[in-house]
């Protein structure tokens, strides 16, 4: 198996593993791998997160977001991709957090919000400082979402 970058528990049991070469799902007995041939481009995945509906989202390197489509027909892509910005400048996603109806993403361009998850359309709510920066983490605590940078939360 390739080098693991992130791991999350699958709602039906087992594990999702983000790697340099794509995603792998382990059901307790065997692995199923997903890469560019599954619609995950590029295959390098940093963050993994499950939304409140139990759907898996990942952050392909500099390519916005991708949502796993478990019931895709034979020959159809297994991932649905979403750009964060129209020009691609904010598509390097470092953090992903879900609220009741939408989602928040931290990118190299700042923090963006989508008010719904089915067809997310993102708006910039906090621009990044002028200097290069990256988010360090995102988490929920006491009902609040936090996105943490190297300098501030």
């Amino acid at each position: 198996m390739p080098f693991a970058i992130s791991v999350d528990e699958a709602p039906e049991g087992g594990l999702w593993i983000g790697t340099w070469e794509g995603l792998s799902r382990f059901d307790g007995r065997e692995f199923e791998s997903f890469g560019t041939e599954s619609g995950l481009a590029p295959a390098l995945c940093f963050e993994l997160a499950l939304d409140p509906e139990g759907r898996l989202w990942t952050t392909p390197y500099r390519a916005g977001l991708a949502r796993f489509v478990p019931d895709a027909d034979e020959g159809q892509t297994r991932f649905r991709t979403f750009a964060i910005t129209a020009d691609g400048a904010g598509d390097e996603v470092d953090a992903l957090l879900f609220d009741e109806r939408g989602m928040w993403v931290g990118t190299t361009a700042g923090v963006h919000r989508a008010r719904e998850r089915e067809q997310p359309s993102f708006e910039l709510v906090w621009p990044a400082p002028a200097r290069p920066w990256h988010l360090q983490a995102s988490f929920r605590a006491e009902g609040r979402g936090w996105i943490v940078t190297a300098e501030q939360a």
Side-chain angles (χ1 to χ4, degrees):
M1 169 183 269
F3 180 75
I5 300 170
S6 54
V7 177
D8 205 342
E9 187 175 355
E12 68 279 356
L15 296 173
W16 280 102
I17 304 163
T19 75
W20 287 90
E21 298 175 15
L23 289 176
S24 291
R25 181 171 51 188
F26 181 64
D27 66 5
R29 293 186 311 277
E30 54 189 27
F31 286 92
E32 182 178 11
S33 295
F34 305 92
T36 54
E37 72 285 348
S38 302
L40 193 58
L44 173 59
C45 295
F46 287 106
E47 286 283 321
L48 297 175
L50 294 168
D51 67 18
E53 292 80 28
R55 298 177 298 189
L56 178 77
W57 294 76
T58 187
T59 60
Y61 183 62
R62 295 185 175 169
L65 295 172
R67 184 177 64 214
F68 182 64
V69 181
D71 54 356
D73 291 333
E74 186 72 33
Q76 288 186 326
T77 182
R78 298 298 301 269
F79 289 88
R80 178 103 192 270
T81 58
F82 303 93
I84 308 304
T85 59
D87 64 1
D91 284 351
E92 187 172 342
V93 178
D94 294 316
L96 174 60
L97 187 66
F98 299 102
D99 61 22
E100 292 76 27
R101 294 190 339 234
M103 62 177 59
W104 299 78
V105 294
T107 74
T108 51
V111 177
H112 303 260
R113 180 180 186 200
R115 296 187 184 274
E116 60 96 15
R117 289 185 286 276
E118 197 57 42
Q119 295 288 330
S121 176
F122 293 91
E123 61 180 306
L124 181 65
V125 295
W126 186 72
R131 64 188 177 285
W133 77 303
H134 283 277
L135 296 168
Q136 302 299 309
S138 63
F139 58 92
R140 292 191 70 76
E142 298 177 9
R144 295 181 181 204
W146 294 84
I147 295 179
V148 181
T149 72
E151 289 86 25
Q152 55 191 320

